[in-house]
Every structure is written in structure tokens, then in C-alpha cells.
């Protein structure tokens, strides 16, 4: 486990938990993103699988968030995902991956514990790759990714900036308690 970021202020923090991508996968997705001709590209260092978006939380809640992440991640063996498709919502484009039962249990457990309920009955494993104001209806060829195995989860701070959000890893934990 590493503590990569520090939080000094008493203001509310935008927090979320996610699975980190292996460097080689993040590099491959970032190279593929260069071919997207519309929207605001999500920076390479912000690419991740979101497990639970917690929104604005009091700074004092950070220890609880990290503790829950640590406890739930210890029981999860590293999941493996396979890229299935590109999908757009009203404001983002994403790469959607195959489901992993263990990762889905982790996401839903974190949501229930930290938010009081799960956002949905099922968790959608995806990586947001582009943001936009108007849906561009992109139909990109998918990047060539082999199976994606992630072995690390993290608690993130989301800092809103004029150019877009910056995600800071506050604490990372190995999956499976290793």
C-alpha cells in the first residue's frame, strides 16, 4: 500500500474508489485516444475503472474510505477484464469491459458501505476515455488490448480544474491482501 497524496484543507473533498490500470494498458489506451477527433480526451493518468463515486465528502471521512477499500480489496483476487465495446452516454465516451464477479462484488460492497446503497444492481466495468458537451456519436475501432488484469485499487481525490478534472491517488492497496 502506498500513500501517494496528502490532503491538507478542511474543505469537502470529491472522492472515489477505483481500480488502477496497469501502465502498459494505460499507455495503449492513451495511444488509441490520439485517434479520437472530437471531445476532451481523458488524460492517461486519469484512466481507471470506477468502483464507487462518493462525491463531496468531509475530509474526516477519508480514513473510513481508505479503511473500507483496504478491507474489501483484501478479499478480492486480481480481476481480469476483456474489452467488449465503445459506448457513449450524454457526456462521456467509454470502453466497456467484460464483467468480473469479484470486482462487481467489490464495487457494490463499497457503494453500500460508503454511500448507504448501491447505485445500480449491476456494476458496469468501464474506462472513461473522452468527455463532451454534445454527443459526437463516435464509432472508433477498438484498441487492441489483451486481457486486462489489475492488481491494485485506490482511493482518489478529484480536483476540478478549468482544463478538466485531475485525479490524485490518495492511497493505493494491493488486491488479495498481497
Amino acid at each position: 500500500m502506498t500513500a501517494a497524496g496528502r490532503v491538507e484543507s478542511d474543505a469537502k473533498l470529491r472522492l472515489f474508489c477505483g481500480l488502477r490500470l496497469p501502465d502498459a494498458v494505460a499507455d495503449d489506451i492513451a495511444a488509441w485516444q490520439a485517434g479520437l477527433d472530437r471531445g476532451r480526451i481523458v488524460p492517461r493518468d486519469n484512466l481507471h475503472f470506477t468502483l464507487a463515486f462518493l462525491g463531496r465528502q468531509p475530509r474526516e471521512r477519508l480514513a473510513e474510505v481508505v479503511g473500507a477499500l483496504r478491507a474489501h480489496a483484501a478479499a478480492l483476487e486480481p480481476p481480469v477484464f476483456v474489452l467488449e465495446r465503445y459506448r457513449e452516454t450524454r457526456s462521456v465516451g467509454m470502453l466497456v469491459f467484460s464483467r468480473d464477479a469479484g470486482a462487481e462484488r467489490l464495487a457494490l460492497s463499497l457503494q453500500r458501505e460508503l454511500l448507504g446503497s448501491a447505485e445500480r444492481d449491476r456494476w458496469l466495468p468501464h474506462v472513461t476515455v473522452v468527455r463532451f458537451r454534445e454527443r459526437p456519436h463516435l464509432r472508433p475501432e477498438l484498441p487492441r488490448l489483451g486481457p486486462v488484469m489489475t492488481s491494485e485499487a485506490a482511493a482518489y481525490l478529484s480536483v476540478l480544474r478549468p482544463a478538466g478534472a485531475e485525479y490524485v491517488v490518495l492511497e493505493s492497496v494491493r488486491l488479495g491482501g498481497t
Side-chain angles (χ1 to χ4, degrees):
M1 124 186 80
T2 62
R6 296 187 62 179
V7 178
E8 301 295 337
S9 87
D10 289 331
K12 288 197 172 189
L13 309 172
R14 284 176 41 105
L15 299 175
F16 67 93
C17 296
L19 294 173
R20 299 185 74 185
L21 292 176
D23 285 338
V25 173
D27 290 343
D28 289 346
I29 292 173
W32 170 82
Q33 287 173 300
L36 300 177
D37 59 359
R38 286 174 278 177
R40 190 173 66 232
I41 300 299
V42 173
R44 179 212 179 275
D45 291 341
N46 285 3
L47 299 172
H48 66 280
F49 290 99
T50 301
L51 294 168
F53 182 75
L54 308 175
R56 295 176 58 81
Q57 298 291 322
R59 180 183 179 284
E60 302 81 42
R61 191 138 191 250
L62 185 56
E64 175 191 355
V65 170
V66 170
L69 180 64
R70 226 185 259 127
H72 290 285
L76 176 66
E77 290 303 315
V80 177
F81 302 100
V82 175
L83 180 59
E84 293 183 340
R85 68 189 194 281
Y86 172 82
R87 175 182 174 207
E88 289 181 357
T89 66
R90 287 186 313 242
S91 60
V92 302
M94 62 183 76
L95 296 175
V96 177
F97 290 79
S98 60
R99 295 188 185 276
D100 177 274
E104 183 169 73
R105 275 192 306 277
L106 173 63
L108 298 177
S109 295
L110 285 169
Q111 291 171 25
R112 287 184 192 108
E113 182 172 338
L114 299 171
L115 295 170
S117 65
E119 295 173 358
R120 294 177 183 79
D121 292 337
R122 303 276 319 246
W123 174 67
L124 180 67
H126 70 278
V127 175
T128 299
V129 294
V130 63
R131 298 182 182 282
F132 37 78
R133 290 190 196 276
E134 287 186 38
R135 194 177 200 170
H137 300 284
L138 299 173
R139 293 192 183 347
E141 184 175 321
L142 295 177
R144 296 180 191 270
L145 304 176
V148 176
M149 184 173 85
T150 179
S151 59
E152 191 174 2
Y156 290 87
L157 170 67
S158 173
V159 180
L160 297 179
R161 305 211 184 276
E166 174 187 354
Y167 302 150
V168 178
V169 173
L170 296 173
E171 181 108 11
S172 64
V173 297
R174 302 292 292 167
L175 300 177
T178 57

